[in-house]
Amino acid sequence: MISRSSLDFRSFRSSKLHLSPKADVKSLISYVVTKTKVINGKYHRFLGRHFPRFYVLYTIFMKGLQMLWADAKKARRIKTNMWKHNIKFHQLSYREMEHLRQFRRDVTKCLFLGILSIPPFANYLVFLLMYLFPRQLLIQHFWTPKQQIDFLDIYHALRKQSHPEILCYLEKVIPLISDSGLRWHMTELCTKMQRGTHPAIHDILALRECFSNHPLGMNQLHALQMKALSRAMLLTPYLPPVLLRYRLKTHTTVIHQLDKALAKLGIGQLTAQEVKSACYLRGLNSTHIAEERCRTWLGEWLQLSCILKEAELSLLLHNVVLLSINYTGTRR
């Protein structure tokens, strides 16, 4: 004969098993996650002990994937918010605009790798190319700290090669300037640049008319000038003149919109890394310049940029060279 207590225990046990399947699933998931973390930790320690160089690359690659995924989710949230509230790009905050701008460039680079990986077994070749050419094929998330400094130096050295050519074109257009006062200002500016003097804001603003119409307006630039300016902006110069002009206009317009948003936010609100990134985008090799000097330079840039109108964007484009080439602290 079964006692009353044993019946109560069985009914309690069966009801508990019957009523808590979700708790069982949660405990199972928790167990699997815990075991996975333990195995993953052992795997990391194994790689660190036996393959230290590979482990460094593996760690950077995994962290890079996590950062890229986080960037993608943030970009999606920004775009969703834009669609819901009918917000245009130039109406976003500075950090949102900068995030979308950088994410688009990163995705373009990643898409190129994706296209290379399409043929059968090509992914193995792509991994080899990524290892051999990280600067050309990988975005900054997958660079080591040393590579970030070295690669930014290399890119700046590439755009510096176009600086003498751009200044030469400015000298060549001096006879084409009809106004004698503007002609004198341009001559003085070119002379100061050749002597290694950093130009004052009023020296550049005095030439606004030259850069809004003939001979240096955006629509008056020759193909060779646009190629040199494209290299100074780290854009490919190997395009037809029509596309070169379109890309320069688009890129300069985005920077102008970023400048307005940054002026509204205030340079003081930026972190040290954000300041250095903003300066590098605008032509200054900020990797070897103190933060305070970068903030000073960025303030000069904004002072000039926020005055300029859309028709004067050619002057903003040339400022990538004019304001950076002789700035104190830059590497020659």
Side-chain angles (χ1 to χ4, degrees):
M1 185 173 179
I2 302 173
S3 65
R4 182 180 178 84
S5 60
S6 61
L7 286 172
D8 292 342
F9 174 76
R10 286 180 183 178
S11 61
F12 170 76
R13 185 181 176 188
S14 61
S15 64
K16 185 178 180 182
L17 289 172
H18 177 71
L19 294 175
S20 60
K22 290 184 179 180
D24 292 341
V25 171
K26 285 182 179 180
S27 63
L28 178 62
I29 292 174
S30 178
Y31 174 78
V32 171
V33 169
T34 302
K35 281 295 182 181
T36 303
K37 287 181 178 179
V38 172
I39 295 171
N40 192 45
K42 290 181 179 179
Y43 177 63
H44 278 229
R45 288 192 293 273
F46 172 78
L47 289 179
R49 283 197 305 266
H50 299 281
F51 306 98
R53 293 187 65 184
F54 174 77
Y55 177 67
V56 171
L57 296 176
Y58 170 79
T59 304
I60 292 172
F61 182 75
M62 295 306 296
K63 286 182 178 178
L65 286 178
Q66 291 173 2
M67 288 189 288
L68 183 61
W69 179 246
D71 285 350
K73 291 196 292 185
K74 184 176 179 180
R76 183 181 178 183
R77 286 197 302 268
I78 295 171
K79 294 294 289 185
T80 301
N81 188 54
M82 291 172 67
W83 292 329
K84 281 184 178 179
H85 301 94
N86 195 25
I87 300 173
K88 304 298 182 184
F89 177 79
H90 67 275
Q91 296 173 319
L92 295 171
S93 68
Y94 171 76
R95 287 192 172 95
E96 290 175 332
M97 292 171 66
E98 175 59 23
H99 185 85
L100 286 184
R101 183 201 67 82
Q102 186 60 51
F103 182 70
R104 287 169 184 168
R105 291 177 67 88
D106 290 344
V107 167
T108 302
K109 217 169 188 179
C110 293
L111 283 177
F112 176 71
L113 282 177
I115 293 171
L116 290 179
S117 305
I118 290 176
F121 306 106
N123 54 330
Y124 299 108
L125 176 62
V126 169
F127 279 116
L128 177 62
L129 292 175
M130 286 163 56
Y131 178 76
L132 296 176
F133 306 101
R135 177 175 64 86
Q136 293 87 347
L137 296 178
L138 297 179
I139 61 176
Q140 291 192 34
H141 291 335
F142 300 99
W143 295 350
T144 65
K146 185 178 183 302
Q147 284 177 335
Q148 290 188 17
I149 296 174
D150 293 343
F151 292 169
L152 290 178
D153 282 343
I154 291 172
Y155 278 126
H156 186 69
L158 292 173
R159 62 184 179 187
K160 264 177 62 178
Q161 293 174 4
S162 64
H163 290 181
E165 189 177 351
I166 293 171
L167 293 179
C168 182
Y169 284 127
L170 292 181
E171 289 181 327
K172 287 181 179 179
V173 302
I174 291 175
L176 303 178
I177 301 174
S178 57
D179 186 274
S180 59
L182 291 176
R183 196 162 54 244
W184 180 85
H185 279 296
M186 181 64 80
T187 305
E188 282 292 301
L189 179 64
C190 291
T191 303
K192 285 183 178 181
M193 301 300 295
Q194 289 174 346
R195 289 175 179 171
T197 304
H198 181 65
I201 299 298
H202 61 81
D203 292 332
I204 298 175
L205 287 176
L207 295 165
R208 291 170 69 176
E209 188 177 338
C210 297
F211 289 90
S212 59
N213 299 298
H214 181 78
L216 291 168
M218 192 71 82
N219 294 325
Q220 281 76 38
L221 296 174
H222 298 296
L224 292 177
Q225 287 176 283
M226 291 190 292
K227 287 179 182 291
L229 288 166
S230 294
R231 290 195 298 272
M233 299 292 283
L234 294 177
L235 300 173
T236 178
Y238 307 108
L239 292 173
V242 175
L243 291 180
L244 284 176
R245 196 183 312 277
Y246 172 77
R247 289 202 73 192
L248 286 173
K249 278 184 177 180
T250 304
H251 199 72
T252 311
T253 300
V254 169
I255 292 178
H256 195 221
Q257 292 170 344
L258 281 167
D259 290 342
K260 291 181 178 179
L262 178 54
K264 186 177 180 180
L265 174 66
I267 298 176
Q269 300 298 316
L270 299 184
T271 64
Q273 184 56 46
E274 287 174 330
V275 169
K276 287 182 175 287
S277 297
C279 290
Y280 194 90
L281 172 65
R282 291 156 177 82
L284 185 71
N285 187 13
S286 53
T287 53
H288 304 284
I289 301 178
E291 179 190 341
E292 286 306 313
R293 294 205 62 80
C294 288
R295 290 184 185 275
T296 301
W297 185 89
L298 189 57
E300 289 184 8
W301 175 283
L302 291 183
Q303 182 183 347
L304 196 151
S305 175
C306 293
I307 295 174
L308 298 179
K309 300 175 182 177
E310 187 176 347
E312 300 166 330
L313 288 183
S314 178
L315 179 54
L316 188 67
L317 177 59
H318 282 80
N319 279 335
V320 171
V321 178
L322 297 177
L323 284 180
S324 66
I325 191 172
N326 293 327
Y327 188 66
T328 305
T330 54
R331 284 190 169 185
R332 303 299 168 103

